[in-house]
């Protein structure tokens, strides 16, 4: 079995457009892009003090399990 050729990719793309329509695909693409931008922004805004707080919380959970 050979890899996927460009003609197969074009046929798959055409079928997806026929099934979902261009408006729904455009909306889906916009939502996906906004989600990725939000994730990147959240990763850039993370401060070291936030990670220490999560470690402290994890330690508290472990201590509760041991008790």
């Amino acid at each position: 079995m050979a890899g996927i050729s460009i003609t197969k990719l074009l046929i798959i793309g055409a079928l997806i457009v026929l099934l979902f329509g261009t408006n729904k695909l455009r909306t889906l693409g916009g939502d996906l892009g906004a989600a990725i931008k939000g994730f990147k922004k959240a990763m850039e805004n993370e401060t070291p003090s936030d990670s220490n707080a999560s470690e402290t919380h994890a330690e508290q959970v472990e201590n509760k399990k041991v008790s």
Side-chain angles (χ1 to χ4, degrees), residues 26 49 55:
R26 187 177 302 128
S49 63
E55 290 174 4

Side-chain angles (χ1 to χ4, degrees), residues 22-60:
T22 56
N23 289 335
K24 195 168 192 174
L25 289 175
R26 187 177 302 128
T27 304
L28 180 64
D31 291 344
L32 181 63
I36 291 172
K37 285 180 185 179
F39 178 75
K40 286 181 179 180
K41 187 176 180 181
M43 292 300 291
E44 289 173 0
N45 291 339
E46 185 177 336
T47 59
S49 63
D50 292 341
S51 63
N52 291 337
S54 64
E55 290 174 4
T56 304
H57 179 68
E59 291 171 359
Q60 291 173 353

